[in-house]
Coordinates of all heavy atoms in Angstrom, one line a residue:
Chain A
R5 N -1.3 37.9 -14.1 CA -1.5 36.7 -13.3 C -0.3 35.8 -13.4 O 0.2 35.3 -12.3 CB -2.7 36.0 -13.8 CG -3.3 35.1 -12.7 CD -4.4 34.3 -13.2 NE -4.0 33.6 -14.4 CZ -4.8 33.3 -15.4 NH1 -6.0 33.7 -15.4 NH2 -4.3 32.6 -16.4
D9 N 1.9 34.3 -10.3 CA 1.9 32.9 -10.0 C 3.3 32.3 -9.8 O 3.4 31.3 -9.2 CB 1.2 32.1 -11.1 CG -0.3 32.1 -10.9 OD1 -0.7 32.5 -9.8 OD2 -1.0 31.8 -11.8
P11 N 6.5 31.1 -8.4 CA 7.0 31.0 -7.0 C 8.4 31.6 -6.9 O 9.1 31.8 -7.9 CB 7.1 29.5 -6.8 CG 7.2 28.9 -8.1 CD 6.5 29.8 -9.1
D18 N 12.4 22.0 -9.6 CA 12.8 20.7 -10.1 C 11.8 20.3 -11.2 O 10.6 20.3 -11.0 CB 12.7 19.7 -8.9 CG 13.2 18.4 -9.3 OD1 13.2 18.1 -10.5 OD2 13.6 17.7 -8.4
A226 N -0.1 5.1 -4.0 CA 0.8 6.0 -3.4 C 0.3 7.4 -3.3 O 0.9 8.2 -2.5 CB 2.2 5.9 -4.1
R229 N -5.1 7.5 0.2 CA -6.3 6.7 0.2 C -7.4 7.4 -0.6 O -8.0 6.8 -1.6 CB -6.8 6.4 1.6 CG -8.1 5.6 1.5 CD -8.8 5.4 2.9 NE -10.0 4.7 2.7 CZ -11.2 5.3 2.5 NH1 -11.2 6.6 2.4 NH2 -12.3 4.6 2.3
D230 N -7.7 8.6 -0.3 CA -8.8 9.3 -0.9 C -8.7 9.5 -2.4 O -9.6 9.2 -3.2 CB -9.1 10.7 -0.2 CG -9.6 10.6 1.2 OD1 -10.0 9.4 1.5 OD2 -9.7 11.6 1.9
V233 N -9.0 6.0 -4.0 CA -10.5 5.6 -4.1 C -11.2 6.4 -5.2 O -11.9 5.8 -6.0 CB -11.1 5.7 -2.7 CG1 -12.6 5.5 -2.9 CG2 -10.6 4.8 -1.7
G234 N -10.9 7.7 -5.2 CA -11.5 8.5 -6.3 C -11.2 8.1 -7.7 O -12.0 8.2 -8.6
R283 N 7.4 6.2 -8.8 CA 6.8 5.2 -9.7 C 7.4 3.8 -9.5 O 8.6 3.7 -9.5 CB 7.0 5.6 -11.2 CG 6.5 7.0 -11.5 CD 5.3 6.9 -12.4 NE 4.8 8.2 -12.6 CZ 3.6 8.5 -13.0 NH1 2.8 7.5 -13.4 NH2 3.2 9.7 -13.2
Chain B
R49 N -18.0 7.5 -2.2 CA -17.5 6.3 -1.6 C -16.2 6.3 -0.9 O -15.4 5.4 -0.8 CB -17.6 5.1 -2.5 CG -17.1 5.2 -4.0 CD -15.8 4.7 -4.2 NE -15.5 4.7 -5.7 CZ -15.1 5.7 -6.4 NH1 -15.1 6.9 -5.9 NH2 -14.8 5.6 -7.7
L50 N -15.9 7.5 -0.3 CA -14.7 7.7 0.5 C -15.0 7.2 1.9 O -14.1 6.9 2.7 CB -14.2 9.1 0.5 CG -13.8 9.7 -0.8 CD1 -13.3 11.1 -0.7 CD2 -12.6 8.9 -1.4
E94 N 1.9 15.1 -14.3 CA 1.8 13.7 -13.8 C 0.5 13.5 -13.1 O -0.2 12.5 -13.2 CB 2.9 13.3 -12.9 CG 4.3 13.1 -13.6 CD 5.3 12.6 -12.6 OE1 5.9 13.5 -12.0 OE2 5.5 11.4 -12.4
D124 N -5.5 26.5 -17.3 CA -4.4 27.5 -17.4 C -3.1 27.0 -16.7 O -2.3 27.7 -16.2 CB -4.8 28.8 -16.7 CG -5.0 29.9 -17.7 OD1 -4.7 29.6 -18.9 OD2 -5.6 30.9 -17.4
R131 N 6.2 21.6 -13.4 CA 6.6 21.9 -12.1 C 6.1 20.9 -11.1 O 5.0 20.4 -11.2 CB 6.1 23.3 -11.7 CG 7.0 24.3 -12.3 CD 7.7 25.2 -11.3 NE 6.8 26.2 -10.9 CZ 6.6 27.3 -11.6 NH1 7.1 27.5 -12.8 NH2 5.8 28.2 -11.1
R132 N 6.8 20.7 -10.0 CA 6.4 19.8 -9.0 C 5.3 20.5 -8.1 O 5.4 21.7 -7.8 CB 7.6 19.4 -8.1 CG 8.0 17.9 -8.5 CD 9.2 17.5 -7.8 NE 9.4 18.1 -6.5 CZ 10.5 18.1 -5.8 NH1 11.6 17.6 -6.4 NH2 10.6 18.6 -4.6
Q140 N -2.5 27.2 -6.9 CA -2.1 26.4 -8.1 C -2.3 24.9 -7.9 O -2.7 24.2 -8.8 CB -0.7 26.8 -8.4 CG -0.4 28.2 -8.8 CD 1.0 28.6 -8.8 OE1 1.8 28.0 -8.0 NE2 1.4 29.5 -9.6
Q152 N -10.4 13.1 -15.6 CA -11.1 11.9 -15.3 C -12.4 11.8 -16.1 O -12.9 10.7 -16.4 CB -11.4 11.8 -13.8 CG -11.6 10.4 -13.3 CD -11.8 10.4 -11.8 OE1 -11.2 11.3 -11.1 NE2 -12.5 9.5 -11.2
R169 N -9.2 36.0 -5.7 CA -9.1 35.9 -7.1 C -9.1 34.4 -7.5 O -9.8 34.0 -8.4 CB -7.7 36.5 -7.6 CG -7.5 36.4 -9.1 CD -6.3 37.3 -9.4 NE -5.1 36.9 -8.7 CZ -4.3 36.0 -9.2 NH1 -4.5 35.5 -10.4 NH2 -3.2 35.7 -8.5
Q173 N -11.8 32.4 -9.8 CA -11.4 31.6 -11.0 C -11.9 30.1 -10.8 O -12.4 29.5 -11.8 CB -9.9 31.5 -11.1 CG -9.3 32.8 -11.6 CD -7.8 32.7 -11.6 OE1 -7.2 31.8 -11.1 NE2 -7.1 33.8 -12.2

Side-chain angles (χ1 to χ4, degrees):
Chain A
R5 203 185 57 209
D9 274 344
D18 187 334
R229 180 186 176 271
D230 287 350
V233 172
R283 304 249 174 196
Chain B
R49 44 98 171 80
L50 299 178
E94 285 184 274
D124 252 346
R131 280 243 278 284
R132 255 172 36 196
Q140 294 166 332
Q152 200 175 335
R169 183 168 58 91
Q173 283 175 356

